[in-house]
Amino acid sequence: MTGDWPTLPLRTAPVEGESIDSWIEALARRHRLSASQLLPAFGLSERARSVHRLIKVTPEETWRRMEHVAGLPSGTLLPAQLAGQSMGMTLVGGGTRFCPRCLGENGGRWLLVWRSNWAVACRRHRLLLLDNCPVCTKTPRAFLPGGVTVPPPGACSYQRLRYAPHCGTDLTSLPTTPAHPAVLAAQTWLDGLREAADRDDQDAAATLGNLPIVAYWLMTHEGVDWQGRAADLASGRAPTEVTVVNGRLPRMDAALIASVLDLSRTVLGPDDDAAVTAIRNLPTSRSTRTGTMPTGLSWYRWQAMTGPFPSRFLRAIDPDLAAMDRLRFKSPTPQAALPAGQAAADRGRFIPHLIWPDWAGRLLPVAGFHTDLFRATAATCLLGPGTSERTYRALTNRFNDRVTPAHLSVLLQGFGDLPAPTLLHVLTLFCRIATYLDTTDSPIDYQRRRVQVPTHPLITWPRWRDLALEIGSHPGDTPGKGRTSRGRLRHVQRHLLQLLTGADLGDGGHHLSFTSPGDRGNYMTFTTRMASPLRAALAGHAETILADLGIDEPVTWSPPAELADGLVLPGTDPASLDTDTIRRIVVDERRSVREAAQALGVNFEHVRFALDHLDRPERDWRPTALPRTWQRQQEMAQVATRDFFEREYVQGRRNLNDLAAETGYSRHLLAKAARTNGITLNKGKPHLVNDAVWLRDQYERQRKSTGVIAEELGISQMTVNLALHRFAIAPRPSGVHSSPQMINRLDGRLAADIRAAVEGSLQGWQRLHRFQIAMAFPTLKAAAAHLGIKPETLVVQFQRLEQDIGATLFHRATPATAQKPTERGRRLLNYLAKNHIRSLMAKSIPNDDLSKLPEHQAAAARQQFPRPRRPISPFTEIPVARLRITTALLDLLNDLMTHGDEQCYGALLITRLQRDASSTYEQLHRLRTAGWITSRIEDDDSWRSRASPIRGPGRRRTYYQLTPAGRDAAIYETARLAAHPPRRQGKR
């Protein structure tokens, strides 16, 4: 291919950094031709006289042809090609600035970098670049020189017409202006960014990409005296008229660009604090931001910005933001950024429902907050930093049902009411903890624990009794003998649940939640009085629970205290409290925790947190107390061994009374030890059914069948039937009416809806179980398909369930909304989720069906409802974004087309269309964003002409008009919908 291209007889190599048009002109001058006359030899058309087109759109093949024709080695022009094509922002209208001394020293060769809008100074000669020729007042080098004459090197080549003579002014001898040190510093900074970006430095590339946006935004500040700043940088400069329009900087001279570049260097430079201060100190004669965006930026462009500017802008406007927005953007911290990614959504896995005790102590003021609710709300606040959610409700719904948006608002407002800078430091701490959780592998996955730990029994009565007695603590009475024993075991289970999962026991969704304020007070008393050995033993048992669940994590953990460095928080670090005073008041003098808190001037919860780390021994029990008795039993186990009973009781034929008298242990303890060692004790005749009261209780009150009673006694069913006849106990009728499901009665303490659904009917538990599964699906049809049954079966079963309970349990699905339980149905689902209800259900439903409930819920979560709408295909020949057309939008388009020659404003359109104002303005906004219409604000004369003598002119009108492309799109959509009318009213 290259053999078909002739070569030129004379050679001229490009100088380093030279623009391609300058090299072409130098080569043409060597051949005594004008640059335009040389273009055909390179295969370039007349349009290539535009230097901008020559640099930007010359094909790759043409560049290689120019090298061949000019006799240059392959790749010689590649640096100029790549540099020109990658140059971002060139001078408006084309052309180049220049340094007269550089032109004189290099023989009139023009550098490519001078064509950049940001080239304002020559660092070599420390001069301000010149913008135009002083004679013709034109910017040089917008076009290659035409005609047949060759202008001398370094001369102005401007031609009023193509074959007109050149201006010819000697640009190398023009007077120059020394560059101000600030201008040289800005130019050095910018050149450094370019060099770093050429080395694939992503930060430098991002800063260069932000520079035009930031410069435009800075120019929108009407309070900045740009003309004065430019005059300070270039003395004697004449002021120019500058108007920022259409999101782009206008044509400005080097001094004015330098003043903008100097301030941009501060905003985008390496000093974060100086940049934030500069942005915050900008004059605001009119609004320079919309919400949390700088004026003039679209939402999409703002979201796509990288580099340091978004973070610095958010930090600068931090004092003006609402507390929730300050959390979302992390604006009180150097990590301020626009919300992005899933880090905030995934962070909840590593946060307990109650914030860690040590951080609760540092944050909790002396008074004014309920402790548990404070801890729950503070934990929810940790979801705020970096989240894309804009409302409190979105945070509370997915984390802790107990916390409401009002709680978050009250908490942040409460911090705001404290002396400054409490709120700032609290928000900073929340952001620091959130950033730490996002960037560091947290050792505890609380979400996994919240799912798995409730399935574990935590601690049974036998294990609790042995654990407590081994360390000398009292476990309480055996369950069933009193409310106290049940409360102590329950408190231990609650302590383990909170220790492992950070559970909020004030949330009624927990099976161990508090039932009353008194119940909560008893639990607080139990944990406050817990001795150190018992606390350590329970921590060890918690490790065993984690091992049983296959969780390899520490029992407890909290973010490091160093996150609070430099912050003044409203609370007190529990580790800094005077433990000697707490020990004297609470342990030695047995006074209340509140008295210790009053003595120390802190919240009583701070004292409770400190007691968790206070070394407290177990109490000294009386000889008859259970811990001492248990110790005697352990001592007796060393004496009353199997060999002892074989020798004395079996072979020696001595009775237990003799052995009790000899050993000093009671007959009861010896009998228990003998059975433990497998020794068969002598006893009377086998048990017979000879107790009428007992049999009547089993058969009539407990509703047991004769078969069940016989199985429990180890005798035949006929023996039990004969006993019923002997004691004149009337047998129940045979058949289904005597089935245990029909005659059994549940515990009266269970929920009334559970008893109404189960008692006196068959398959009541099955209906409840299927209701629990179906409510996870959007429709009954989807639930039936998953269960492999007909939808009619679920309809009949749920109608029977609502009839038995006497209330509607769920709202039926519609084409647009999924089914959901009513308030009564939601309470029923909460009952069914409790462990004791599940254990009752397991007796009537196969256990493998109950174990599949998480699988059913996971399948329901994968259901899509309603189905996603198909995307709209774009126009192929109309340059506007295509919209989904509704009846209301079509009416608005027809009105705009009908009154295309009139001035249409919002109130007039609302009156003509008889539509709601909010929906009409929303549709106008959609059309304007998509490019269908344009808008303009009413001018001053028209606005004042509407003024009445009393009320004044009122608000200005905004007039709307279809663009040519918008009119084409409207005509197209009207014709399409006329040919294919919609199937449903309203949707187009």
Side-chain angles (χ1 to χ4, degrees):
M1 184 68 183
T2 58
D4 299 334
W5 298 334
T7 58
L8 296 174
L10 302 178
R11 305 286 187 264
T12 297
V15 301
E16 183 180 0
E18 184 179 11
S19 179
I20 187 65
D21 64 296
S22 175
W23 171 76
I24 291 175
E25 184 180 4
L27 183 61
R29 186 179 296 111
R30 183 127 190 242
H31 289 83
R32 300 182 181 278
L33 299 173
S34 69
S36 297
Q37 292 174 318
L38 192 61
L39 292 180
F42 292 145
L44 293 171
S45 66
E46 181 67 20
R47 301 179 65 184
R49 286 196 61 226
S50 170
V51 178
H52 180 79
R53 289 185 57 83
L54 178 65
I55 293 174
K56 292 291 186 181
V57 299
T58 299
E60 175 73 20
E61 181 182 0
T62 304
W63 284 97
R64 305 289 77 82
R65 177 172 177 173
M66 284 192 287
E67 292 174 342
H68 177 77
V69 171
L72 299 177
S74 179
T76 303
L77 298 181
L78 187 61
Q81 174 189 354
L82 298 178
Q85 293 175 351
S86 63
M87 180 175 293
M89 192 172 179
T90 57
L91 289 177
V92 178
T96 179
R97 297 192 180 99
F98 60 95
C99 171
R101 292 190 186 177
C102 288
L103 283 178
E105 292 175 359
N106 62 18
R109 308 293 278 269
W110 298 76
L111 302 183
L112 176 64
V113 70
W114 292 344
R115 307 194 75 87
S116 171
N117 191 51
W118 305 114
V120 295
C122 175
R123 294 167 55 194
R124 178 182 175 186
H125 298 105
R126 306 180 69 82
L127 298 175
L128 197 67
L129 296 184
L130 299 185
D131 294 276
N132 48 41
C133 170
V135 177
C136 63
T137 70
K138 300 298 181 180
T139 302
R141 313 295 298 177
F143 296 91
L144 284 172
V148 295
T149 60
V150 181
C156 178
S157 60
Y158 171 72
Q159 296 171 283
R160 187 172 61 85
L161 296 175
R162 180 175 179 181
Y163 294 102
H166 300 283
C167 172
T169 302
D170 184 8
L171 301 180
T172 63
S173 61
L174 295 180
T176 57
T177 302
H180 192 278
V183 177
L184 292 173
Q187 190 68 62
T188 302
W189 168 73
L190 183 60
D191 293 344
L193 287 179
R194 286 202 190 96
E195 294 172 1
D198 291 340
R199 297 192 300 268
D200 294 332
D201 188 328
Q202 298 301 320
D203 293 337
T207 303
L208 279 176
N210 288 341
L211 179 58
I213 304 173
V214 172
Y216 167 74
W217 175 68
L218 290 173
M219 289 294 291
T220 62
H221 289 72
E222 297 178 352
V224 178
D225 184 9
W226 296 111
Q227 300 293 344
R229 295 172 67 96
D232 293 339
L233 299 178
S235 58
R237 170 188 173 274
T240 57
E241 189 68 26
V242 178
T243 303
V244 180
V245 293
N246 297 329
R248 179 179 171 93
L249 291 174
R251 181 65 174 266
M252 296 188 295
D253 60 281
L256 196 55
I257 285 290
S259 65
V260 178
L261 189 61
D262 179 46
L263 186 54
S264 300
R265 179 175 66 94
T266 304
V267 173
L268 296 174
D271 192 340
D272 275 350
D273 293 335
V276 172
T277 302
I279 296 173
R280 192 171 292 167
N281 291 338
L282 286 173
T284 54
S285 58
R286 64 182 180 92
S287 177
T288 56
R289 66 182 178 92
T290 304
T292 55
M293 294 194 309
T295 295
L297 267 66
S298 67
W299 184 86
Y300 299 100
R301 192 170 191 181
W302 172 240
Q303 292 291 320
M305 283 190 71
T306 58
F309 178 68
S311 174
R312 294 170 177 179
F313 179 80
L314 292 172
R315 290 177 61 191
I317 66 173
D318 172 67
D320 302 328
L321 296 178
M324 184 61 185
D325 285 337
R326 298 173 77 179
L327 278 179
R328 287 180 57 232
F329 298 115
K330 300 183 183 180
S331 56
T333 69
Q335 292 77 32
L338 298 174
Q342 291 295 320
D346 297 339
R347 191 185 309 134
R349 300 187 62 88
F350 309 107
I351 301 175
H353 279 173
L354 295 182
I355 196 171
W356 301 276
D358 52 342
W359 287 107
R362 297 184 181 99
L363 289 169
L364 182 64
V366 176
F369 293 96
H370 183 279
T371 307
D372 286 351
L373 192 55
F374 173 87
R375 293 182 63 188
T377 308
T380 306
C381 285
L382 293 177
L383 298 178
T387 181
S388 57
E389 305 292 351
R390 295 175 176 269
T391 62
Y392 293 125
R393 174 66 66 185
L395 295 181
T396 58
N397 284 349
R398 69 168 186 244
F399 188 65
N400 189 341
D401 292 337
R402 183 189 182 197
V403 179
T404 66
H407 293 143
L408 289 173
S409 178
V410 169
L411 178 69
L412 297 177
Q413 183 177 354
F415 284 133
D417 293 339
L418 297 175
T422 300
L423 178 60
L424 172 62
H425 287 189
V426 169
L427 295 178
T428 302
L429 177 65
F430 284 153
C431 295
R432 286 183 181 179
I433 295 177
T435 302
Y436 182 84
L437 294 176
D438 293 342
T439 57
T440 306
D441 292 335
S442 175
I444 295 181
D445 186 347
Y446 286 100
Q447 180 60 31
R448 177 172 60 179
R449 294 191 181 187
R450 284 192 282 266
V451 173
Q452 296 187 20
V453 171
T455 64
H456 194 280
L458 295 178
I459 190 168
T460 61
W461 165 252
R463 180 69 187 102
W464 159 238
R465 178 194 59 206
D466 294 344
L467 183 147
L469 294 176
E470 284 175 0
I471 60 174
S473 181
H474 201 302
D477 297 331
T478 304
K481 292 186 177 180
R483 186 180 300 272
T484 303
S485 65
R486 178 177 179 272
R488 181 165 292 188
L489 175 61
R490 193 172 184 83
H491 292 336
V492 172
Q493 293 172 339
R494 286 170 171 169
H495 174 73
L496 289 172
L497 182 65
Q498 277 199 330
L499 191 67
L500 291 171
T501 68
D504 180 9
L505 297 179
D507 182 4
H510 288 290
H511 66 286
L512 294 174
S513 59
F514 299 131
T515 58
S516 65
D519 187 22
R520 178 186 179 277
N522 293 335
Y523 172 72
M524 294 301 176
T525 301
F526 172 78
T527 55
T528 300
R529 295 178 179 176
M530 191 182 299
S532 298
L534 178 57
R535 195 179 298 276
L538 290 177
H541 181 73
E543 294 179 354
T544 304
I545 295 174
L546 294 179
D548 292 343
L549 296 174
I551 300 176
D552 184 15
E553 294 175 352
V555 175
T556 59
W557 172 86
S558 67
E562 290 77 11
L563 296 176
D565 288 351
L567 302 180
V568 179
L569 300 178
T572 302
D573 187 351
S576 66
L577 294 179
D578 186 355
T579 55
D580 293 337
T581 301
I582 296 176
R583 182 186 299 276
R584 175 178 58 81
I585 296 176
V586 178
V587 180
D588 299 338
E589 300 177 6
R590 296 182 179 276
R591 293 158 60 187
S592 68
V593 174
R594 291 187 180 276
E595 292 182 87
Q598 292 175 356
L600 296 174
V602 297
N603 191 296
F604 73 94
E605 291 294 338
H606 292 138
V607 178
R608 283 191 59 251
F609 295 147
L611 287 173
D612 292 347
H613 306 283
L614 190 65
D615 186 14
R616 302 176 64 184
E618 284 288 351
R619 61 180 293 185
D620 188 15
W621 297 99
R622 299 190 304 272
T624 57
L626 181 59
R628 290 291 182 86
T629 304
W630 185 85
Q631 293 175 1
R632 287 199 303 273
Q633 291 176 355
Q634 301 305 307
E635 295 170 358
M636 185 193 70
Q638 303 299 321
V639 177
T641 62
R642 182 178 179 84
D643 293 340
F644 170 80
F645 285 108
E646 289 283 356
R647 183 180 67 252
E648 301 293 336
Y649 184 76
V650 178
Q651 299 175 8
R653 296 183 180 278
R654 301 177 63 182
N655 59 33
L656 293 179
N657 290 330
D658 293 340
L659 296 178
E662 179 181 331
T663 59
Y665 298 114
S666 67
R667 183 182 185 280
H668 170 71
L669 292 178
L670 288 173
K672 182 177 180 182
R675 286 191 289 269
T676 302
N677 286 286
I679 303 298
T680 302
L681 298 178
N682 299 326
K683 53 185 177 181
K685 298 180 180 181
H687 176 74
L688 298 176
V689 185
N690 56 7
D691 189 341
V693 175
W694 177 84
L695 183 59
R696 188 179 301 277
D697 176 79
Q698 296 288 311
Y699 187 76
E700 294 184 347
R701 190 181 70 81
Q702 298 189 31
R703 300 284 182 176
K704 292 182 179 180
S705 66
T706 56
V708 173
I709 297 174
E711 184 180 357
E712 291 178 352
L713 296 178
I715 58 178
S716 66
Q717 186 175 358
M718 183 55 69
T719 302
V720 179
N721 292 336
L722 293 174
L724 292 177
H725 179 72
R726 185 170 65 252
F727 296 131
I729 300 175
R732 295 190 289 268
S734 59
V736 69
H737 295 289
S738 62
S739 172
Q741 292 189 40
M742 296 292 291
I743 62 178
N744 284 349
R745 296 292 181 267
L746 299 178
D747 192 333
R749 292 174 293 179
L750 294 179
D753 289 349
I754 299 292
R755 289 188 282 110
V758 174
E759 292 178 352
S761 64
L762 292 175
Q763 306 302 328
W765 285 113
Q766 186 191 58
R767 287 191 290 272
L768 289 174
H769 183 54
R770 286 186 173 178
F771 178 75
Q772 191 177 19
I773 295 173
M775 287 302 102
F777 287 83
T779 63
L780 288 183
K781 184 177 180 180
H786 174 74
L787 295 173
I789 59 178
K790 295 182 178 180
E792 294 80 3
T793 303
L794 290 182
V795 172
V796 172
Q797 288 186 337
F798 292 169
Q799 287 177 348
R800 172 63 186 278
L801 191 61
E802 291 179 331
Q803 179 182 351
D804 291 341
I805 293 177
T808 301
L809 296 179
F810 68 105
H811 300 292
R812 273 56 175 176
T814 66
T817 59
Q819 64 183 10
K820 62 179 180 179
T822 62
E823 184 63 28
R824 189 77 167 267
R826 191 175 295 107
R827 289 203 303 270
L828 179 61
L829 292 175
N830 290 337
Y831 294 144
L832 294 176
K834 295 182 180 296
N835 287 342
H836 64 285
I837 299 295
R838 290 174 57 85
S839 63
L840 291 175
M841 185 183 295
K843 297 177 181 179
S844 300
I845 297 178
N847 189 41
D848 57 344
D849 286 348
L850 290 181
S851 64
K852 293 180 180 178
L853 182 59
E855 299 178 11
H856 299 319
Q857 293 172 342
R862 294 192 293 268
Q863 294 280 335
Q864 286 192 350
F865 187 85
R867 293 183 178 178
R869 302 170 71 176
R870 293 187 303 173
I872 305 174
S873 59
F875 291 116
T876 57
E877 299 180 356
I878 304 176
V880 294
R882 195 168 184 182
L883 301 175
R884 195 177 299 277
I885 305 299
T886 63
T887 302
L889 186 56
L890 186 61
D891 293 341
L892 177 58
L893 289 173
N894 286 330
D895 185 273
L896 290 173
M897 287 193 294
T898 304
H899 302 87
D901 298 329
E902 300 177 13
Q903 293 185 345
C904 299
Y905 53 94
L908 181 60
L909 291 171
I910 293 168
T911 303
R912 287 205 298 252
L913 295 174
Q914 296 297 312
R915 295 288 172 85
D916 178 66
S918 59
S919 62
T920 301
Y921 282 112
E922 180 182 1
Q923 292 162 1
L924 290 170
H925 176 71
R926 290 179 58 205
L927 291 173
R928 182 174 55 186
T929 304
W932 291 47
I933 65 173
T934 59
S935 65
R936 66 176 183 83
I937 303 299
E938 183 180 17
D939 56 35
D940 292 341
D941 294 336
S942 176
W943 177 55
R944 293 190 182 96
S945 66
R946 296 189 294 103
S948 62
I950 299 176
R951 299 183 60 183
R955 298 180 59 182
R956 294 178 184 267
R957 293 172 176 170
T958 301
Y959 294 100
Y960 302 91
Q961 187 174 20
L962 284 168
T963 64
R967 180 175 294 276
D968 293 341
I971 294 172
Y972 173 88
E973 293 290 356
T974 303
R976 181 183 64 85
L977 293 175
H980 302 283
R983 289 179 295 176
R984 291 184 297 169
Q985 183 65 27
K987 298 290 184 181
R988 297 279 180 172

